[in-house]
């Protein structure tokens, strides 16, 4: 993994982390895919989610099986598909 940095993070099984990516203080659940040139800080990424190339995420919660589109930046957000929300 070229120029990839993972610090103080927990990585589940079947995760794919591509090159030129920085992951700090994160939890990646099983089956997560992190594409190249991503920066994640203090995030929880649920099972089978995909973080597309060039994304920058800080203090975010990404729901299971959600795909973050390429190049997006999110701070202090919950990212989930609208049809997967739960009524309380």
């Amino acid at each position: 993994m070229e120029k990839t940095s993972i610090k103080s993070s927990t990585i589940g099984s079947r995760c794919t982390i591509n090159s030129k990516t920085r992951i700090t203080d994160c939890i990646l659940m099983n089956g997560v895919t992190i594409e190249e040139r991503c920066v994640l800080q203090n995030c929880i990424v649920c099972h089978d989610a995909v973080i597309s190339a060039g994304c920058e995420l800080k203090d975010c919660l990404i729901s299971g099986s959600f795909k973050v589109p390429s190049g997006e930046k999110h701070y202090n957000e919950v990212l989930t598909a609208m049809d997967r929300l739960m009524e309380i």
Side-chain angles (χ1 to χ4, degrees), residues 53-68:
C55 286
E56 187 175 317
L57 306 175
K58 183 175 180 181
D59 302 319
C60 290
L61 171 62
I62 296 88
S63 71
S65 302
F66 185 78
K67 181 171 182 172
V68 180

Side-chain angles (χ1 to χ4, degrees), residues 37-67:
R37 300 180 328 276
C38 292
V39 178
L40 278 74
Q41 186 175 346
N42 196 36
C43 293
I44 298 174
V45 184
C46 294
H47 61 89
D48 301 316
V50 176
I51 312 300
S52 298
C55 286
E56 187 175 317
L57 306 175
K58 183 175 180 181
D59 302 319
C60 290
L61 171 62
I62 296 88
S63 71
S65 302
F66 185 78
K67 181 171 182 172

Side-chain angles (χ1 to χ4, degrees), residues 67-81:
K67 181 171 182 172
V68 180
S70 295
E72 291 201 350
K73 296 183 180 187
H74 295 277
Y75 308 97
N76 300 311
E77 292 182 53
V78 175
L79 305 177
T80 188

